[in-house]
Amino acid sequence: MIVPLVDSVTGTPVYINPAYVLSLRPDPADVDHVTLVKLEDGESLRVHGDHTEVAKKLNPS
């Protein structure tokens, strides 16, 4: 499963495989609108959306 999200820095789409996500947390700079996503390979992304919203998209069950 691949989940489409929007990068908050560039405004471009990013496609994430939830199996490679290590953690999610609110971005301290914009807690209500941006989530930091840390991936297994060490890369971190800032995506649009509250962290609970992003978590639901990555794990809809």
Side-chain angles (χ1 to χ4, degrees):
M1 176 171 105
I2 301 296
V3 178
L5 297 167
V6 177
D7 187 294
S8 68
V9 177
T10 63
T12 59
V14 291
Y15 301 92
I16 298 175
N17 182 337
Y20 296 104
V21 174
L22 290 180
S23 66
L24 300 174
R25 67 182 177 97
D27 185 340
D30 191 355
V31 178
D32 295 326
H33 302 104
V34 178
T35 297
L36 292 172
V37 178
K38 185 169 184 179
L39 302 176
E40 196 174 80
D41 67 357
E43 184 176 1
S44 292
L45 302 168
R46 286 181 163 80
V47 298
H48 283 290
D50 172 78
H51 71 284
T52 55
E53 204 176 283
V54 173
K56 285 179 187 175
K57 286 182 182 178
L58 292 171
N59 186 16
S61 55

